[in-house]
Amino acid sequence: GYDILIDENLKPWLIEVNASPSLTADTPSDYELKFGLLDDLYTLLDVENKFGGALEESVGGYDLIYNNGPIKPDKNSCYTTKLGCFDDRVRQLKKLHKAHAKRTAATG
């Protein structure tokens, strides 16, 4: 299955392609992968409003690709995403929460 996001301008964005989509977890590693996907998604959507609308470059397994225009790569890189690369999502999410706590303390 294809997962596609439609933005407010009706532009389709391909999120992922699954040969055999399922959220059923058959093994502990499969559970960890799918739980991580859902945890990252809910963090990205900020359903609890913990981040107050702040945009982050990366949230777990997701990368910001558009912010008032396409995201440009870092001057030392030709890539704008870590898709397909190893990234310690737990470490990255802890860093995200720590940065948010600093912003919150500085403004309030």
Side-chain angles (χ1 to χ4, degrees):
Y2 293 88
D3 295 339
I4 299 171
L5 175 74
I6 308 295
D7 69 16
E8 69 266 4
N9 297 316
L10 301 179
K11 183 173 181 175
W13 294 92
L14 179 63
I15 304 298
E16 68 175 320
V17 179
N18 297 300
S20 183
S22 169
L23 285 178
T24 302
D26 300 324
T27 65
S29 60
D30 193 28
Y31 173 84
E32 184 179 329
L33 174 78
K34 291 174 180 173
F35 180 85
L37 168 87
L38 293 172
D39 187 39
D40 292 348
L41 178 63
Y42 283 112
T43 301
L44 178 69
L45 293 174
D46 195 18
V47 293
E48 296 174 326
N49 200 28
K50 289 183 177 180
F51 303 114
L55 293 176
E56 300 294 333
E57 289 183 17
S58 239
V59 174
Y62 295 92
D63 296 316
L64 183 64
I65 60 172
Y66 193 90
N67 183 13
N68 295 323
I71 300 297
K72 303 223 184 296
D74 183 285
K75 66 181 181 178
N76 297 322
S77 174
C78 60
Y79 301 105
T80 58
T81 183
K82 296 177 189 150
L83 185 63
C85 299
F86 174 78
D87 189 26
D88 184 344
R89 64 175 291 279
V90 173
R91 183 182 53 78
Q92 191 273 330
L93 288 169
K94 285 180 183 178
K95 184 179 170 184
L96 172 70
H97 286 280
K98 187 176 180 179
H100 173 69
K102 272 187 179 177
R103 278 195 307 266
T104 302
T107 60

